[in-house]
Amino acid sequence: MTRVARTLRGTPRNLALLARTLQAGDVVAVPTETVYGLAANALSASACQKIFRAKRRPATDPLIVHLASARELESVAEPNAAALALAAAFWPGPLTLVLPKKKSVPAVVTSGRDSVAVRVPAHPLFRALLRRAALPLAAPSANPFGYVSPTTAEHVLDGLGARIPYILDGGPAAIGVESTIVDIRDPRRPRLLRPGAITRGQLESVLRTRVIVPARRPTAADTAAQLAPGMLTRHYSPRTPVILARTVAGWQPAEAPKEAFVFLRKPPGRHPANVFWLDPRGDLRGVARRLFATLRALDRGGFRRIHVELASGDGLAHAINDRLQRAAAKG
Ligand code: TXA
Ligand code: MG
């Protein structure tokens, strides 16, 4: 693929150029603390259409609107007290709230829904760009639809370099998995649409109510209502088949040199060249941070299959296993 995108550091001059690019209705790839996003003016239907075209994303999959601060929430959504409490507790940060939308948000952003997904990101360069552009910015992950989300500027260049003008380089993403999404339209029945770094337990302690976790496979009713489009089963997928393991007890990497074996933590002793690990000590924050970059690298490694150890426990393990299950899903 020819590479036309320019990768820029976050100097004041570059931020001014990127803000003008966004104001003129073009797209810019941006760093966030979760994954890189492909941003455009959320108030412009034609600008947002460019996101769908660049990603080859189906028009039925809505975008997340990013704001410079929670004070702007009412410009795009109708918050309730529960939403404001979550915003106060977790913004800026990796939490996306689904709320009734305001008319200002064009239908292309929400795929025609009357709800909008909103978050205030924590990455300092993205925040600086949001302030400079003085616009809400719609941004899904900056990868071709269905592939593994990008956690570095280089990943964005690999996937979309031929289709976008600029990438703002903010270094490797600190969290590495996409934001937690909670549907908070009905404060008595909050629904966790996608697990992320903000855990269900953290949400429940602020809301003081149970957060419902819908079944991972969307039900016929969900599909009909198009409530949770990002829950498409196959997503975040490398081209090499991914096989998940609850336990690594049966793994014999030395006997399958054409297959990759990915442990959560560094296994003791010597290991063959087809053995990998996500974090030296198996720390789940490290695992999340390295997960997508590792899947991408192994996808290019010429392996027949990629075996990955599942995480155990709650919290971040829920988000890690969710992404692994999607990476492993067939069709
Ligand atoms: O961390 C993140 O959330 C990253 C960064 C760039 O902010 N964004 C991201 O966007 O991961 P992505 O590619 O997952 O797309 C947004 C997802 C949709 O697939 C859908 O699941 C959900 O957000 N979404 C957006 N609007 C929605 C709505 N009105 N109702 C339910 N889900 C919605
Ligand atoms: Mg995505």
Side-chain angles (χ1 to χ4, degrees), residues 1-7 27 29 38 54-56 142-144 150 152-167 296 300:
M1 191 191 287
T2 36
R3 294 178 160 192
V4 300
R6 280 179 61 204
T7 301
V27 296
L38 184 62
K55 278 183 58 97
R56 315 234 152 103
N143 51 289
T152 66
E154 184 69 27
H155 294 162
V156 180
L157 192 61
D158 284 343
L160 296 178
R163 301 191 217 145
I164 62 174
Y166 296 112
I167 302 166
R296 280 173 177 264
R300 295 174 157 200

Side-chain angles (χ1 to χ4, degrees), residues 1 9 22 29 35 48 73 81 83 156 161 166 190 195 206 213-214 218 236 241 274 287:
M1 191 191 287
R9 288 180 306 122
L22 290 162
V35 300
C48 290
L73 184 53
V156 180
Y166 296 112
V206 170
V213 182
Y236 314 106
N274 60 333
V287 168

